[in-house]
Amino acid sequence: MSNFDRDLRKKLEEFGCTFVREGKGSHQIWHSPITNINFSVPLGTKSRHTVNAVLKQAGIKYRF
């Protein structure tokens, strides 16, 4: 099972999302210019489904 951290962050930055701050525990808060909302990004996730849910929150139509 692979770790999606690097690929997820690269895809978020590619679509203009920006890092806002560190969140609680092992999470970061990012902002999407597409949806104009802040959303939580878990660190170290190995779940493709979780990563795809983050992309959906960001308004990015891409799936791992």
Side-chain angles (χ1 to χ4, degrees):
M1 207 173 243
S2 65
N3 194 334
F4 290 100
D5 279 348
R6 183 177 295 151
D7 295 334
L8 174 59
R9 284 193 202 84
K10 185 186 284 186
K11 191 56 69 177
L12 291 173
E13 290 171 348
E14 183 179 316
F15 281 87
C17 295
T18 54
F19 173 78
V20 176
R21 64 180 171 84
E22 292 294 329
K24 288 188 173 188
S26 60
H27 288 76
Q28 294 178 335
I29 307 300
W30 286 65
H31 178 79
S32 170
I34 299 167
T35 59
N36 199 31
I37 62 167
N38 289 346
F39 55 94
S40 177
V41 177
L43 301 176
T45 186
K46 294 180 189 217
S47 169
R48 176 177 51 90
H49 302 290
T50 300
V51 171
N52 288 337
V54 170
L55 291 171
K56 186 174 182 180
Q57 285 181 342
I60 299 171
K61 294 183 187 331
Y62 179 88
R63 299 296 174 252
F64 282 97

